[in-house]
Amino acid sequence: NFTYCPATGLANGNEHSEFAGWAFPFPGVFLTEEFISEDEESKMVELMDRDEWKPSQSGRKKQDYGPKVNFKKQRLKAGSFTGLPSFSKKIVAQMKACSVLGGFLPVEQCNLDYMPERGSAIDPHFDDWWLWGERLVSLNLLSKTVLSMSCDSEDSIQLFPTFSTENGELSPPGSLTQTSAYENSGKQGTNYILSPRLVPSKEVTVAIHLPRRSLVVLYGDARYKWKHAIYRKNIEHRRICVTFRELSAEFSTGGRHEELGKELLEIALSFQGTPV
């Protein structure tokens, strides 16, 4: 029902819906367009296609560069992991210029290949919290798509009206509440106050439009309170998503498994890897 605006950080109600003219803050998203050039994109995809794409769930194919994980038993080891691919070294270096990626050290890279002919999609989900840290970073290649955000919370979201004075009409209708009439220089007037609107979180979806070659980071509320999904209708052409993940606090400095985390990061950042 809503579309995320990178310029304002607001989720705006879609036109011609009951939420047109309403908005709410949607924190935890960082989006930058044209993160890499067309030439860089072409070279990256060419190098990926030299390696095997393995079948994955929901009509996708994948290439994994990361440690061996058993999420159910919460076990982790290096396994056959030899590092992130060489072509990602420049990408990771470029990330340091992003305001929200200070100190970001990826320990895993997952390339996912989406094709409309295969019905590629991924259902609403959270990425694991035990192993992966707060920031999820994805580079969107080959075609645009939409990241769909949804929430299972029992909470409500407070919407605020946005104004449109076209044709002298207020948008949304009924968003202003009359409080009193007043006299000013002999002219009659009326005071108005903003009248917020509450809606159940479960009834809200937020579309984050991802242009080709854009980089998106999910963190904070967008990472831990909102599930993310890619629906089939939003895969129009071949799309490759390159996702980078960092380690959780448990595997970072001062964490219970700090030494294992150091070992895995050393392997990852050698940039000598092949898909596992």
Side-chain angles (χ1 to χ4, degrees):
N1 320 83
F2 292 80
T3 299
Y4 177 74
C5 174
T8 62
L10 295 175
N12 295 307
N14 295 337
E15 289 183 33
H16 311 302
S17 79
E18 62 171 305
F19 298 109
W22 296 90
F24 66 97
F26 195 78
V29 179
F30 174 86
L31 178 66
T32 181
E33 297 188 23
E34 301 288 338
F35 187 73
I36 62 172
S37 68
E38 287 186 41
D39 189 47
E40 288 172 322
E41 176 190 52
S42 177
K43 287 176 181 174
M44 277 184 70
V45 173
E46 181 189 344
L47 289 169
M48 288 180 199
D49 284 342
R50 291 180 186 179
D51 287 316
E52 180 189 2
W53 287 95
K54 296 181 179 179
S56 184
Q57 298 171 324
S58 306
R60 297 170 297 153
K61 291 186 177 182
K62 67 177 180 179
Q63 294 174 342
D64 275 323
Y65 301 83
K68 187 172 183 179
V69 188
N70 185 321
F71 288 106
K72 286 185 179 179
K73 295 182 179 179
Q74 293 196 342
R75 290 180 183 169
L76 175 69
K77 61 181 180 180
S80 56
F81 180 39
T82 53
L84 303 189
S86 58
F87 59 80
S88 293
K89 189 171 186 177
K90 186 180 178 184
I91 301 293
V92 172
Q94 278 179 237
M95 288 179 191
K96 294 177 182 177
C98 299
S99 57
V100 299
L101 290 178
F104 182 79
L105 298 172
V107 74
E108 192 227 32
Q109 175 179 328
C110 182
N111 304 334
L112 287 166
D113 184 306
Y114 290 72
M115 288 282 277
E117 295 84 354
R118 297 196 301 264
S120 302
I122 185 166
D123 291 334
H125 67 284
F126 293 113
D127 279 28
D128 183 80
W129 298 343
W130 160 69
L131 178 57
W132 309 130
E134 180 172 3
R135 294 165 292 186
L136 304 176
V137 183
S138 291
L139 183 59
N140 186 57
L141 303 179
L142 295 183
S143 63
K144 66 179 181 178
T145 194
V146 177
L147 192 62
S148 299
M149 312 295 289
S150 57
C151 186
D152 293 337
S153 169
E154 297 295 334
D155 297 339
S156 292
I157 293 173
Q158 190 170 41
L159 307 181
F160 295 93
T162 54
F163 291 98
S164 170
T165 54
E166 292 177 24
N167 305 320
E169 295 178 359
L170 289 167
S171 176
S175 60
L176 298 184
T177 303
Q178 184 174 325
T179 56
S180 64
Y182 66 94
E183 295 282 342
N184 184 13
S185 303
K187 294 183 180 179
Q188 192 88 9
T190 307
N191 281 339
Y192 288 93
I193 60 169
L194 295 176
S195 178
R197 173 182 176 186
L198 286 176
V199 293
S201 298
K202 288 181 176 180
E203 294 182 9
V204 172
T205 58
V206 179
I208 302 175
H209 287 266
L210 303 182
R212 182 176 177 175
R213 295 190 304 281
S214 63
L215 185 87
V216 65
V217 184
L218 301 181
Y219 61 98
D221 283 1
R223 161 80 163 107
Y224 295 117
K225 291 186 178 179
W226 292 80
K227 292 181 177 180
H228 56 277
I230 300 281
Y231 294 119
R232 290 180 181 182
K233 65 181 180 180
N234 293 316
I235 299 297
E236 300 171 7
H237 307 283
R238 187 186 186 196
R239 173 205 178 225
I240 292 178
C241 172
V242 184
T243 296
F244 298 91
R245 298 181 177 95
E246 64 184 342
L247 289 167
S248 67
E250 192 169 330
F251 297 89
S252 303
T253 304
R256 192 157 55 108
H257 300 297
E258 177 183 355
E259 289 306 313
L260 177 56
K262 280 182 180 176
E263 176 195 341
L264 295 174
L265 270 177
E266 193 172 317
I267 295 170
L269 301 178
S270 69
F271 295 101
Q272 296 175 357
T274 54
V276 296

